[in-house]
Amino acid sequence: RPHTDDDAPPAKRPRIEVTPLDPSTSDSGLPSTVVVSENGSKEQFTLKAAAIFRQEYKVRTGIDLRPWHSGPGSGRWVYISSCGTRYLWSQNVGTWLQWKFAVAGEGRSRYSSYFPFGVRRWKSMIGECSPADFFVTPKGGKQGTPSNACGTAGTGFTFLEPHKEDPVELPMLGVEEAERFYEDGYIVLRADSLGSHARASRALREMNLVLAELAIAGLETGRISPEFGLVEDLPREGLNSVRVQSRKEFTALLSPLRTIIQQLLGGCPEEPETIQLAYAPPTGSMGEGFEGRSDCRAGDEYHIDGRGRIPNGFALLVGVALSSPPPGSCAWGALTVFPGSHRNASLHREYPKKKAESGQHMDLGTPRHVTLERGDAVLAHSLLAHRRSENWSDAWRYQIYWRLKPERARSDHGWESGMPGDPWAVLPGVLAARRGRVNLLP
């Protein structure tokens, strides 16, 4: 069933504990039995192969097991209760193993946690995703220090929280998506698969409030309220790149992308210091005709992020459209990319020098408009050449961008050392997924 606000968690914070009961292990390397404690009620769960459990459930009930992720990365093992309706199931997510606690027939799992090198604190997946007390006590060992699964470095996603509007099954990087990303340098995920329609509308309101504040500052006050988080110590690039501090209305758009982002990066993303609000007002002057006009610029007009630096300090560009193309428009300010340019070694050698000299760039041929409806997302390689198309329409285009790098970049100053010779040095998940692997645990 679809998730609704009626699924909100009880006022009392749930307590769920998992304690190994039997030190013996199966061929999986996992304890054969665990004890799950939820709100003080304890129950023994037994390890079983996931494929067998799902098949037995379907034979018994006549329906497929839900909640479950049936795509790439689904774990091979589950822990099931004696009644067979409560279970712990796993999913490979990047270099992490995510476990979820579920009750068969419910719309989504109740709790989740990440196990990179041990057990971390569980969080409720319903309502506001509040932490649930969760501990693992290996036999003869010490109780681990609980840590927030979406908190500090090394414990899971540092800033990408689950959201109540997320789909039950988050998009993942399969072989087909990885192949498109490898060849073109980007992929598009549609709003319907992300559950992002309402979130995009809320973010659009925030972008318009920032735009109004900029107009008021220019016309009246001359100053911008700190409330809007405008970052003013960066080079000014006009309305195409207004840098602001993040806020929940913007970050919520990344929530349904958190799995595929981590797969691409091969680990958790570091929270960026700023995000980009990209406004594209209509091109041309007042009274100028615009109907049916296209962007006819040559294939040497583009840029690679980083102001001429390659490598450019990040690995993955993530954009979410907050507006849809006006009907019948041929050029509406869309993100326009040059597919395959992220693998163009000659371009990467020449670009910094040409940029510094303001010289003519290499002609990359005919670009491609990325058509995004409101709530759609685009994920692109950091070295992909691109530009904003001219906007020969009657409406503004609104888009928001994040530039992400792996969390390991905090301590590993050489994290980009393989670039640009190896474009996948910073996005190892692409090659892994092309080979049909989903970044299994190290």
Side-chain angles (χ1 to χ4, degrees):
R1 61 183 174 84
H3 169 66
T4 68
D5 289 340
D6 294 334
D7 295 321
K12 185 178 179 180
R13 175 180 292 179
R15 180 180 178 84
I16 176 169
E17 296 182 341
V18 175
T19 306
L21 183 70
D22 188 339
S24 65
T25 60
S26 67
D27 292 339
S28 68
L30 298 170
S32 60
T33 311
V34 297
V35 171
V36 174
S37 175
E38 183 182 20
N39 292 328
S41 177
K42 295 185 178 181
E43 186 176 7
Q44 180 173 308
F45 282 47
T46 304
L47 189 69
K48 178 173 279 193
I52 295 175
F53 173 53
R54 294 177 66 198
Q55 183 179 18
E56 290 176 344
Y57 181 85
K58 187 165 186 177
V59 170
R60 187 172 74 249
T61 65
I63 60 176
D64 291 329
L65 179 67
R66 294 289 300 273
W68 191 268
H69 178 79
S70 57
S74 293
R76 297 172 52 222
W77 302 95
V78 293
Y79 287 99
I80 59 174
S81 64
S82 57
C83 65
T85 59
R86 293 156 59 86
Y87 55 99
L88 292 164
W89 62 286
S90 64
Q91 183 177 353
N92 291 304
V93 183
T95 55
W96 300 71
L97 184 65
Q98 183 185 32
W99 282 88
K100 298 179 182 180
F101 176 84
V103 177
E106 293 189 350
R108 65 191 306 169
S109 299
R110 292 185 179 182
Y111 312 102
S112 71
S113 187
Y114 292 85
F115 302 105
F117 309 108
V119 179
R120 306 294 176 179
R121 177 175 290 184
W122 288 62
K123 299 198 78 175
S124 171
M125 297 185 69
I126 299 173
E128 297 181 356
C129 306
S130 57
D133 290 338
F134 172 87
F135 302 91
V136 169
T137 310
K139 188 172 182 177
K142 296 181 179 180
Q143 178 173 291
T145 302
S147 56
N148 192 325
C150 296
T152 58
T155 60
F157 295 111
T158 53
F159 70 104
L160 302 185
E161 296 277 359
H163 191 277
K164 64 181 180 180
E165 294 169 3
D166 286 347
V168 174
E169 296 186 1
L170 300 179
M172 296 186 69
L173 186 71
V175 175
E176 181 180 344
E177 293 83 4
E179 188 64 32
R180 289 202 307 269
F181 196 101
Y182 181 88
E183 292 294 334
D184 295 337
Y186 76 99
I187 54 174
V188 171
L189 299 173
R190 299 301 177 187
D192 287 343
S193 69
L194 302 175
S196 56
H197 295 285
R199 278 176 274 189
S201 294
R202 290 190 287 269
L204 176 61
R205 171 179 163 79
E206 297 298 313
M207 273 194 73
N208 274 319
L209 288 173
V210 172
L211 182 62
E213 180 70 7
L214 291 172
I216 291 171
L219 294 171
E220 299 177 10
T221 64
R223 59 180 298 274
I224 298 172
S225 170
E227 171 192 356
F228 294 92
L230 188 70
V231 178
E232 300 190 77
D233 58 351
L234 294 174
R236 296 292 181 91
E237 298 181 64
L239 287 174
N240 187 50
S241 183
V242 176
R243 303 299 176 107
V244 299
Q245 298 168 357
S246 190
R247 53 198 308 141
K248 64 180 181 179
E249 290 82 5
F250 298 143
T251 305
L253 292 166
L254 288 181
S255 178
L257 298 167
R258 62 188 185 273
T259 296
I260 197 169
I261 286 173
Q262 188 176 9
Q263 285 182 273
L264 286 163
L265 292 174
C268 296
E270 181 181 352
E271 183 173 9
E273 295 181 1
T274 64
I275 61 176
Q276 176 189 357
L277 306 183
Y279 302 88
T283 303
S285 57
M286 297 181 68
E288 186 175 1
F290 65 90
E291 293 90 345
R293 292 185 63 171
S294 301
D295 185 348
C296 299
R297 288 177 293 169
D300 60 357
E301 293 192 40
Y302 54 81
H303 69 273
I304 298 174
D305 286 346
R307 299 187 177 90
R309 292 185 299 110
I310 293 181
N312 50 12
F314 72 103
L316 185 66
L317 178 69
V318 180
V320 177
L322 304 187
S323 59
S324 298
S329 176
C330 299
W332 59 93
L335 172 67
T336 303
V337 301
F338 292 81
S341 57
H342 63 299
R343 295 182 286 109
N344 190 328
S346 297
L347 169 66
H348 301 153
R349 284 193 299 268
E350 294 181 12
Y351 184 81
K353 182 178 180 180
K354 295 288 186 181
K355 181 73 173 178
E357 298 174 351
S358 299
Q360 184 176 11
H361 294 311
M362 178 187 299
D363 193 325
L364 298 179
T366 304
R368 181 186 300 168
H369 291 330
V370 180
T371 302
L372 301 175
E373 301 288 335
R374 179 184 294 183
D376 291 351
V378 57
L379 293 86
H381 196 289
S382 61
L383 296 183
L384 185 68
H386 60 279
R387 69 190 186 202
R388 173 177 60 86
S389 81
E390 295 174 338
N391 184 358
W392 295 107
S393 78
D394 58 359
W396 287 58
R397 184 226 62 183
Y398 298 84
Q399 195 141 319
I400 183 170
Y401 289 105
W402 294 261
R403 288 166 176 82
L404 303 178
K405 55 187 173 183
E407 195 177 53
R408 67 179 183 274
R410 292 178 179 175
S411 56
D412 181 7
H413 298 299
W415 71 276
E416 293 180 288
S417 59
M419 294 270 279
D422 177 10
W424 311 112
V426 296
L427 293 174
V430 177
L431 297 184
R434 286 183 82 215
R435 293 192 293 265
R437 297 189 1 249
V438 188
N439 291 353
L440 301 179
L441 284 170

